Amino acid sequence: MLPLEQWMLQLADYHENALVSVRPPKKPSIKERKQKLLTFLQEKYEPVYAKWTTERCAVCRWVEDWDYNKIIICNRCQIAVHQECYGARNVRDFTSWVCKACETPEIKRECCLCPVKGGALKPTDADTLWVHVTCAWFRPEVSFASDEKMEPALGILSIPSNSFVKICVICKQIHGSCTQCCKCSTYFHAMCASRAGYRMELHCLEKNGRQITKMVSYCAYHRAPNPDTVLIVQTPLGVFSAKSLLQNKKKAGSRLISSNRVKIEEIPTEETTELEPFSAARCRIFKRLNNNKKRIEDEAVAHRVMGHCHHPLEAIQSLNAFRVVEVPKTFSTFRERLNNLQRTENDRVCCGRSGIHGWGLFARRNIQEGEMVLEYRGEQVRRSIADLREARYRFEGKDCYLFKISEEVVVDATDKGNIARLINHSCMPNCYARIMSVGDDESRIVLIAKTNVTAGDELTYDYLFDPDEPDEFKVPCLCKAPNCRKFMN
């Protein structure tokens, strides 16, 4: 038996010889990390071809825009983004603006963090690698070098490797880097989640005098997806989305106006009804002044209120003379595109009896989703002039067609408008209106197809009247859509 002292010395020698180095492994170099990421990206995957629309921002998904933060549209790929969302605050010429990816159209740009093609892309600090702004936002390791230009994206190579081997619950693929639901271990690509209507939030906090931004996202189980979901912003002042923001800043969005009403003394007559103070007279339900079936001279014709209407193609073609116009393939500026839209509008649309109310606008041919249909043209006047004109039109019993471009400018299409003024409202529209700048502080209103429209279908869009109108000023909706709100405001 060994003495205790000898045994302890032998045990110490054993541990000394068996000692393993506990120094951390050497961190891979930037070149090695980039090569590993490129290897991940070269693996086979199924590209996701999303439908990008000019109706809403490709980053925050908001439909609304403001004078200080316009939605601008790339003249090549037609992607729509807010100036603030894309780092284009200093852009003044909206007519020929192109996104960063389209500045070099000969080179195909793809996001390195998701399989979704197209969208709002920005370069990174790693050569040849690009990223969606949304994907960059929802990776805590990634930030933008410049708050003003939002490029390049830094920290792509710092993203943990294990995030590149997670399967996205939406596209069912491993390609790219997945983010995680804040409530469970469900993984998904940030862009896939945004396109699928997942709840995504931006939390702005202040800690030790510094502003901290935290991105939070939820899976379909913890928050029900909604295609109209937008980025929710949480600040120390409260939580708001685009809708609540508009409620706080009335009439800030792009919408048909419901202007300040001027009281008019009614001229007493033997048989009269009070003029309803609507912004558009075509929205009124006609009421005959007397009960006899014969209409008196100069009396409006009452139209039967029905549902959505579809005219046969033969009837559509017989309404207006058809003319063939050769459409140029490319346009150097947005103004050229608008000029061509004006020249060819009669090839796409015509007027006809509406199933919603009175006369309406109908498609003469099939119109694809995202295609510009026609421009809403008229005389541009100041807001104060528009208020006076609206009062005069109502007094004269005239149909009133006013569309607000900004807080100060309104398009009056009543006397000097085009066929676009006949388009009716629907709570489930197939078109939407977009206010677009053509430079020199000039803006135009363009109606764009929200879905694929078949020849003969009636064209409609949401008038977006102010929803906070008093009950006495409520405008009844006649669209008969399944989701009809009953009132336009």
Side-chain angles (χ1 to χ4, degrees):
M1 180 171 288
L2 292 173
L4 177 61
E5 184 179 357
Q6 188 177 355
W7 175 81
M8 291 182 65
L9 289 173
Q10 288 182 356
L11 186 63
D13 291 338
Y14 171 79
H15 283 292
E16 185 180 357
N17 295 330
L19 188 63
V20 180
S21 175
V22 294
R23 287 192 304 173
K26 186 179 179 183
K27 187 177 180 181
S29 64
I30 295 178
K31 185 176 180 180
E32 291 173 338
R33 281 181 283 164
K34 182 180 178 181
Q35 188 59 44
K36 190 173 183 179
L37 177 57
L38 291 175
T39 303
F40 276 130
L41 298 177
Q42 287 172 358
E43 293 181 3
K44 190 177 179 181
Y45 71 99
E46 190 68 31
V48 176
Y49 295 98
K51 288 184 178 179
W52 299 100
T53 172
T54 55
E55 181 184 15
R56 58 181 70 238
C57 174
V59 180
C60 70
R61 306 282 296 162
W62 285 19
V63 176
E64 294 79 7
D65 65 349
W66 300 268
D67 292 338
Y68 60 88
N69 188 18
K70 288 285 189 183
I71 285 184
I72 54 179
I73 300 174
C74 176
N75 198 41
R76 286 181 179 155
C77 69
Q78 296 296 294
I79 200 73
V81 291
H82 283 109
Q83 291 177 273
E84 294 282 346
C85 291
Y86 196 72
R89 301 175 189 174
N90 298 326
V91 173
R92 294 292 176 264
D93 182 14
F94 297 154
T95 62
S96 56
W97 179 79
V98 293
C99 67
K100 196 67 180 179
C102 289
E103 289 180 1
T104 52
E106 66 279 359
I107 303 175
K108 191 176 180 181
R109 307 296 189 186
E110 297 179 353
C111 179
C112 63
L113 299 183
C114 78
V116 180
K117 301 301 178 186
L121 293 164
K122 284 287 189 176
T124 70
D125 57 342
D127 294 339
T128 72
L129 294 182
W130 287 62
V131 65
H132 287 122
V133 175
T134 303
C135 293
W137 276 3
F138 282 85
R139 285 305 324 179
E141 302 84 4
V142 181
S143 61
F144 289 101
S146 170
D147 291 337
E148 185 176 341
K149 294 185 177 180
M150 289 185 64
E151 61 181 68
L154 309 176
I156 294 294
L157 301 180
S158 300
I159 299 175
S161 301
N162 60 353
S163 70
F164 287 91
V165 294
K166 304 294 183 182
I167 299 178
C168 173
V169 72
I170 301 170
C171 70
K172 313 296 183 186
Q173 298 190 82
I174 297 180
H175 184 82
S177 174
C178 286
T179 188
Q180 185 179 350
C181 171
C182 65
K183 296 288 187 180
C184 65
S185 58
T186 302
Y187 289 90
F188 41 78
H189 297 114
M191 183 54 69
C192 289
S194 175
R195 302 288 303 177
Y198 278 32
R199 175 76 171 250
M200 308 182 83
E201 300 180 359
L202 175 100
H203 293 187
C204 300
L205 312 171
E206 218 173 272
K207 191 174 182 181
N208 299 329
R210 293 182 59 188
Q211 184 174 339
I212 300 174
T213 303
K214 183 181 178 183
M215 291 293 182
V216 177
S217 55
Y218 297 87
C219 67
Y221 177 78
H222 288 102
R223 293 290 189 278
N226 185 342
D228 294 325
T229 295
V230 299
L231 184 67
I232 307 297
V233 182
Q234 179 176 313
T235 69
L237 299 178
V239 180
F240 63 92
S241 63
K243 184 176 180 181
S244 61
L245 183 64
L246 281 181
Q247 291 173 352
N248 295 332
K249 299 179 68 176
K250 287 187 178 180
K251 297 181 178 66
S254 307
R255 57 177 64 207
L256 277 167
I257 71 166
S258 181
S259 62
N260 298 328
R261 294 165 176 80
V262 181
K263 291 185 178 179
I264 306 173
E265 293 183 3
E266 301 290 347
I267 299 175
T269 57
E270 292 181 1
E271 200 170 20
T272 182
T273 57
E274 184 182 356
L275 287 175
E276 297 177 350
F278 296 155
S279 290
R282 67 174 180 276
C283 304
R284 305 174 190 169
I285 300 177
F286 177 77
K287 295 177 181 178
R288 193 176 290 282
L289 297 180
N290 47 43
N291 294 326
N292 58 14
K293 292 187 177 179
K294 261 190 172 182
R295 72 183 181 94
I296 60 177
E297 188 179 357
D298 297 329
E299 185 181 359
V301 180
H303 299 292
R304 182 164 59 94
V305 178
M306 303 179 297
H308 195 69
C309 190
H310 178 98
H311 285 302
L313 184 58
E314 296 76 14
I316 289 292
Q317 291 176 342
S318 65
L319 288 174
N320 302 95
F322 186 80
R323 58 195 182 92
V324 178
V325 178
E326 185 178 348
V327 182
K329 293 182 179 180
T330 57
F331 303 94
S332 58
T333 65
F334 184 69
R335 191 182 292 273
E336 288 183 12
R337 188 185 297 273
L338 279 182
N339 291 337
N340 179 74
L341 194 70
Q342 180 178 344
R343 289 195 302 267
T344 60
E345 66 182 26
N346 290 332
D347 304 334
R348 290 182 298 278
V349 299
C350 64
C351 61
R353 292 290 185 185
S354 169
I356 299 175
H357 180 81
W359 292 90
L361 207 60
F362 293 83
R364 295 198 57 174
R365 62 168 176 80
N366 294 337
I367 300 175
Q368 292 183 353
E369 176 186 349
E371 183 179 348
M372 293 184 183
V373 182
L374 78 165
E375 179 188 353
Y376 191 103
R377 295 196 304 278
E379 183 183 5
Q380 293 195 10
V381 296
R382 295 193 306 274
R383 179 65 182 265
S384 57
I385 300 297
D387 291 341
L388 294 174
R389 287 189 180 184
E390 182 184 19
R392 175 163 59 86
Y393 294 151
R394 291 204 316 273
F395 180 77
E396 296 172 352
K398 213 174 188 181
D399 284 358
C400 173
Y401 304 97
L402 299 174
F403 198 123
K404 186 183 75 171
I405 285 184
S406 66
E407 290 301 316
E408 298 299 328
V409 181
V410 176
V411 172
D412 182 3
T414 306
D415 293 327
K416 299 182 180 181
N418 64 335
I419 195 175
R421 66 182 183 174
L422 296 177
I423 189 169
N424 279 314
H425 163 87
S426 175
C427 298
M428 188 181 287
N430 52 19
C431 295
Y432 62 91
R434 171 64 65 208
I435 296 175
M436 299 180 173
S437 174
V438 292
D440 299 327
D441 295 327
E442 181 185 358
S443 297
R444 304 281 189 86
I445 306 165
V446 179
L447 298 173
I448 303 173
K450 187 183 180 78
T451 60
N452 291 329
V453 181
T454 308
D457 278 355
E458 181 171 3
L459 300 171
T460 58
Y461 81 106
D462 193 334
Y463 284 3
L464 292 176
F465 282 144
D466 189 353
D468 298 325
E469 291 283 358
D471 290 342
E472 60 267 25
F473 294 141
K474 288 292 184 183
V475 184
C477 180
L478 311 175
C479 72
K480 301 295 187 294
N483 63 334
C484 182
R485 302 189 295 263
K486 307 304 178 186
F487 294 96
M488 298 185 195
N489 51 4

